[in-house]
Amino acid sequence: MQSTSGNSTLIIIPAWNEGASIEAVVKDLRSSLPDVDVLVVDDGSTDDTAAVAGAAGAKVVQLPYNLGVGGARRLGYVYARNYGYQIAVQFDADGQHQSSSIPALIAGLEEADLVIGARFAGAGEYRASGPRWWAMSLFSFVISRQARTRLTDTTSGLRVCNRDLIEYFARWYPVEYLADTIDTLVRVIKAGYTVRQVPVVMQPRIGGVPSTSPLKSVPYLVRAVFVLLLAYIRE
């Protein structure tokens, strides 16, 4: 099956109540990468996210209720599989990811099945601290050893994958928070796929409410360790 526009690359953007930022994100992608399709998966939003995204030039699919970012991404991969896309790009709706990073990530697929846009690999000034940094450091240490390559940002949501992994993620992609980044990495490495990273620069979110805060940092650390352990003991 061919893609609906003839393009081979699909950018998947999960969005929940991102009406304040989604227009700018979609318009930037359509302007910077006119030969790439943009799909916004509206994750049960109660605002005008879907309408704004469609008016800005994105393809839009809507979930009837909020599944979380993992569930929205899985629907995006099902769409990519069903319409024959060869490359899928995970991208955020809040404006922190930059469209200029995408060509280098796609180029990385020449030697990998999954390429991560890494915030802590020498580009930009993004910083994390406290329990979140401890968790990220633990993830990077453990998963880098398994992948046999240095991965500095294993929780990054900016990723690019090839057709084989589009098929894989369309069949299986975790809905749970954190599992959608950590569990997917552990699973694909266990399955024999190659993972690499490319340094990227992040920018401040355009609008909306951040999902992280100091009060959430300790529960984040506890949940993160649990998710990592679960990822390794699952068959």
Side-chain angles (χ1 to χ4, degrees), residues 96 119-120 123-128 132-133 136 153 200-203 212:
Q96 293 192 78
R119 295 166 288 186
F120 313 113
E125 299 179 354
Y126 186 92
R127 296 290 181 269
R132 292 185 65 82
W133 175 248
M136 291 176 178
D153 192 6
V200 298
V201 176
M202 297 288 180
Q203 56 194 12
T212 61

Side-chain angles (χ1 to χ4, degrees), residues 1-116:
M1 180 182 292
Q2 297 297 316
S3 71
T4 53
S5 67
N7 293 337
S8 64
T9 301
L10 180 69
I11 300 175
I12 301 167
I13 307 177
W16 180 55
N17 292 339
E18 295 284 5
S21 60
I22 194 64
E23 178 180 19
V25 170
V26 171
K27 284 186 174 180
D28 176 58
L29 288 167
R30 299 296 300 134
S31 174
S32 301
L33 302 163
D35 296 328
V36 172
D37 288 344
V38 178
L39 174 72
V40 172
V41 182
D42 180 29
D43 190 19
S45 296
T46 56
D47 67 358
D48 58 354
T49 293
V52 172
K59 301 174 185 294
V60 179
V61 293
Q62 292 180 270
L63 287 164
Y65 49 84
N66 180 249
L67 282 183
V69 65
R73 282 178 177 152
R74 181 173 181 178
L75 179 57
Y77 281 113
V78 170
Y79 185 101
R81 178 196 64 190
N82 290 351
Y83 286 100
Y85 290 94
Q86 301 302 304
I87 296 171
V89 181
Q90 290 183 190
F91 206 81
D92 283 356
D94 58 14
Q96 293 192 78
H97 295 164
Q98 295 191 12
S99 60
S100 57
S101 302
I102 293 176
L105 292 169
I106 291 175
L109 291 177
E110 293 180 5
E111 57 184 47
D113 301 293
L114 176 67
V115 182
I116 303 169

Side-chain angles (χ1 to χ4, degrees), residues 32 136 188-189 216 221:
S32 301
M136 291 176 178
V188 300
I189 294 168
K216 296 179 181 178
L221 176 59

